[in-house]
Amino acid sequence: MMQVIPMLLIAIVQAVSAFQYPCSNYVGHHHHDVAGRRHTILQSIEDPTLIEELSISGTIGLLANSIVERTGMANDLVKDEPTMDDSSESTRSLLLYGIADSIDDTAWVYFFLTLVAAIDTYIDIHYVDSDILKEAIPTIAVTVGIARTLSSIKRTLLLQRISGKKLGRTRIYDQFIDFILTFSTCGVILSELQLDDNVGMGFQSLFAISGASAVFFSLVSKDLAEHIVGGLAVQVWDAFSVGETITLGNGLSGKVVSIGLVETEIESSNNVITKIPNSKIVNERVSNISRATKSQVVQTLRFSYGDIKLVPKVLADIQGECFFLLSLMFFINEVITSYK
Amino acid sequence: MIVTIFSEEIEASCPKLDRGSAMLKSYEADHIQTEVNYHFDIPPGNVVEYGSNREQVLLAIGRAIEKNNVTFAIPAINYVNTE
């Protein structure tokens, strides 16, 4: 492996440099003649630090990758990262998988950034300053590693917390923490790279466009935004989840079929599916029948005044009958629903 | 005394019965209104168990009515949809 990587590197660099050479005047900050270029290539290839860094990070990456694959094989997680739905996985193997995966990612980030720095040394990529990049590589790789490790620890803790129960609002916590981690990682990477003026302008115009488009879209799709915010609110609210039977304040009752970003679908007992915008449903009273543990039977009985003397006896008998029969508990589908 | 005996019977024979009552509720213009109200440790989400339990309560009411040889009053006013 130690010999293969430098050879590969030389091959890649030579191929890229041959391809880049005709247009090097347009893309380069500095102009080298062919001899100078070859000289730099040889110098850089002989640069022991770069080769060492590439070899070590590549090896760590491959080792971690094999651990990831083995752990994955053991847990039938060969291709996909464990998700919040895989609550059946054991906490220990999930944590091992997560940490190995983050080491794997860190090593490969390190490897590829070093590779970019090495290539930049020969070819001089327009937007890359190899001096800054070389300094920034360890910080970027470690930041990515820390973020990935934190993410996997967080996921393991959340899975432990729910331990086979329904996900509920845990999913939105998971996504929110992931978002914060990604956002901070991107922030660290951007500040480490010290982007030059041209790129800065590009970013500025991007932000300007996105700001203008945000205003435009917020005007055009105010309702849609409300529904989406409502959808997030429904998930955080955790008043109901898919499969549960609910009754809304407006009298609609049924089983929740799906909770989308914009709308929630409820299937009534007559099999009609009603779609309700999430912005509406968060403002409704919701009674979750599936989460109730007790039920009630109420029946009004009317008797003539002629039977007034018998009524107390009838009521006492009803109590006696109920207590005797309720212990039998027949499970049948065809039932009487009420006396009118 | 009778209430105590009933309570003991409930606990012994029906562990899912939480609490309940069958009592006279009001005197209406042309009939007497009573209400039977029972609470059970059965989740309403379990439709089959809830439905069959409800049926057993109603059948029990029917047997008590038959045993005492009384009939339900037919009110002059339709109370069913106004409650």
Side-chain angles (χ1 to χ4, degrees):
Chain A
M1 183 53 66
M2 299 291 267
Q3 287 91 23
V4 173
I5 290 173
M7 280 168 67
L8 264 176
L9 186 62
I10 293 166
I12 293 169
V13 166
Q14 281 178 346
V16 176
S17 86
F19 178 73
Q20 288 282 344
Y21 175 64
C23 51
S24 64
N25 285 339
Y26 301 103
V27 296
H29 282 166
H30 317 287
H31 305 288
H32 305 290
D33 57 9
V34 179
R37 178 182 296 277
R38 289 199 188 287
H39 181 67
T40 326
I41 290 171
L42 288 172
Q43 256 188 345
S44 304
I45 293 300
E46 284 158 12
D47 183 350
T49 331
L50 273 179
I51 303 297
E52 260 177 39
E53 283 180 1
L54 280 172
S55 316
I56 292 168
S57 58
T59 316
I60 293 173
L62 285 171
L63 282 173
N65 200 17
S66 73
I67 294 174
V68 168
E69 277 177 12
R70 275 161 204 271
T71 329
M73 289 285 276
N75 293 299
D76 297 327
L77 299 168
V78 186
K79 284 176 187 169
D80 298 320
E81 194 184 351
T83 61
M84 292 301 289
D85 299 321
D86 292 329
S87 49
S88 57
E89 299 304 330
S90 75
T91 310
R92 209 171 145 189
S93 58
L94 268 182
L95 195 61
L96 181 66
Y97 178 90
I99 289 171
D101 199 28
S102 52
I103 292 171
D104 184 32
D105 285 349
T106 313
W108 287 121
V109 165
Y110 199 99
F111 180 82
F112 284 113
L113 288 178
T114 316
L115 196 64
V116 170
I119 292 171
D120 181 56
T121 318
Y122 324 128
I123 301 163
D124 204 2
I125 304 167
H126 183 55
Y127 286 120
V128 178
D129 186 340
S130 61
D131 293 333
I132 293 175
L133 186 62
K134 274 182 202 166
E135 284 175 17
I137 288 170
T139 320
I140 292 173
V142 168
T143 311
V144 170
I146 290 172
R148 296 280 293 143
T149 313
L150 283 178
S151 178
S152 62
I153 290 172
K154 172 259 313 172
R155 182 157 294 201
T156 314
L157 288 176
L158 286 178
L159 282 172
Q160 209 173 22
R161 178 173 164 266
I162 59 168
S163 65
K165 288 183 223 154
K166 285 194 172 178
L167 290 175
R169 68 183 71 177
T170 313
R171 185 190 297 275
I172 202 88
Y173 290 156
D174 180 59
Q175 288 168 349
F176 185 67
I177 296 169
D178 268 347
F179 175 75
I180 291 174
L181 282 173
T182 313
F183 193 77
S184 359
T185 311
C186 289
V188 169
I189 291 171
L190 284 177
S191 67
E192 275 300 316
L193 286 178
Q194 300 171 15
L195 299 169
D196 66 17
D197 293 341
N198 292 333
V199 180
M201 283 296 285
F203 268 97
Q204 277 168 21
S205 54
L206 189 69
F207 284 133
I209 292 166
S210 63
S213 56
V215 172
F216 174 74
F217 278 112
S218 63
L219 287 173
V220 172
S221 58
K222 186 170 152 285
D223 286 346
L224 186 68
E226 269 181 23
H227 294 332
I228 291 170
V229 171
L232 289 174
V234 163
Q235 294 204 11
V236 174
W237 190 20
D238 196 27
F240 54 86
S241 55
V242 174
E244 289 184 333
T245 307
I246 58 167
T247 303
L248 297 179
N250 60 13
L252 180 69
S253 182
K255 190 192 245 185
V256 180
V257 180
S258 69
I259 304 170
L261 193 63
V262 178
E263 63 196 10
T264 297
E265 290 183 337
I266 296 173
E267 186 180 6
S268 308
S269 55
N270 58 3
N271 297 333
V272 173
I273 291 177
T274 310
K275 292 184 177 185
I276 305 170
N278 287 329
S279 58
K280 292 265 189 300
I281 214 166
V282 286
N283 294 320
E284 287 275 358
R285 284 179 289 121
V286 177
S287 311
N288 195 326
I289 293 167
S290 296
R291 290 185 192 172
T293 52
K294 293 179 187 293
S295 57
Q296 184 189 28
V297 176
V298 184
Q299 179 62 54
T300 302
L301 306 175
R302 301 169 206 283
F303 300 101
S304 308
Y305 275 103
D307 292 330
I308 192 164
K309 284 181 184 171
L310 290 168
V311 169
K313 177 75 170 46
V314 172
L315 295 177
D317 281 351
I318 287 171
Q319 284 206 333
E321 283 274 355
C322 279
F323 303 147
F324 174 70
L325 280 164
L326 287 172
S327 59
L328 299 177
M329 283 290 170
F330 295 112
F331 293 96
I332 45 176
N333 280 321
E334 292 174 12
V335 293
I336 301 169
T337 53
S338 70
Y339 293 124
K340 299 286 184 191
Chain B
M1 183 63 188
I2 293 169
V3 175
T4 316
I5 292 167
F6 278 141
S7 301
E8 284 169 2
E9 273 188 41
I10 302 163
E11 286 170 19
S13 63
C14 185
K16 290 195 174 182
L17 183 66
D18 185 38
R19 63 182 191 279
S21 62
M23 58 175 68
L24 190 63
K25 193 179 171 191
S26 64
Y27 290 119
E28 299 298 328
D30 56 355
H31 68 277
I32 304 158
Q33 187 172 324
T34 63
E35 188 174 271
V36 178
N37 185 351
Y38 286 104
H39 298 258
F40 301 92
D41 286 329
I42 297 169
N46 188 341
V47 179
V48 176
E49 192 179 359
Y50 171 75
S52 70
N53 181 48
R54 184 181 174 82
E55 185 184 38
Q56 294 311 314
V57 173
L58 295 175
L59 287 173
I61 292 170
R63 260 185 291 277
I65 297 291
E66 198 180 353
K67 188 175 163 189
N68 288 282
N69 200 22
V70 289
T71 50
F72 290 128
I74 301 169
I77 307 164
N78 182 10
Y79 288 87
V80 175
N81 296 323
T82 55
E83 284 174 352

